[in-house]
Amino acid sequence: MESLQRYFGLFDESRTSTQAMEDLFSLFSDDMSFVLNGDRKEGIESWKMFMKMFYEYNSDIKHMFEGWERVEGTDQYQTKWAVCGKKKTGEVFTQEGIDIAHLDENGKICYLENVPADSAAFQQYKQI
């Protein structure tokens, strides 16, 4: 559960800190899967590419989340989140949604699904 508790803070810090970026990557298993608004990607290298692209498009970001809770009857966790950010173009944005996660036997994130309220979110990342 510690991996999930650290996830959003490290995501935000990784914009300006290579150590935070490395710490963020260490939260995930090498064979992890992630889903961005329905588009599934496999492996930690794909996650690293997503993070690099994310900060190529965005110059600042701040997440808020309600806290991870186990989804009853499953081995998954879920949290509601909101984010505000600023794109490199200077445009500001907000988004909200939920994240769904699964941890492996070592407590690392092996599955992370981002379900934004905006169905058009993350379209620019489909090329990963």
Side-chain angles (χ1 to χ4, degrees), residues 79-120:
T79 189
K80 183 177 179 184
W81 54 263
V83 66
C84 64
K86 187 172 188 177
K87 295 180 181 181
K88 293 267 176 129
T89 61
E91 178 185 0
V92 296
F93 65 92
T94 61
Q95 278 185 15
E96 61 182 278
I98 62 167
D99 273 7
I100 302 164
H102 177 78
L103 302 174
D104 69 10
E105 63 278 354
N106 298 315
K108 292 193 176 243
I109 302 168
C110 59
Y111 177 81
L112 182 65
E113 182 173 357
N114 182 288
V115 185
D118 177 1
S119 63

Side-chain angles (χ1 to χ4, degrees), residues 29-75:
S29 65
D30 288 342
D31 61 348
M32 60 89 72
S33 300
F34 65 102
V35 180
L36 299 172
N37 204 3
D39 188 42
R40 187 181 183 114
K41 304 293 181 190
E42 301 291 334
I44 192 68
E45 292 306 317
S46 290
W47 177 254
K48 289 177 179 180
M49 286 174 48
F50 161 71
M51 289 300 299
K52 181 180 180 204
M53 284 182 68
F54 186 86
Y55 283 121
E56 285 176 5
Y57 288 113
N58 300 291
S59 62
D60 202 0
I61 192 160
K62 177 64 178 163
H63 285 89
M64 297 289 167
F65 69 105
E66 291 184 351
W68 293 92
E69 295 183 8
R70 185 178 283 277
V71 177
E72 191 173 329
T74 74
D75 58 359

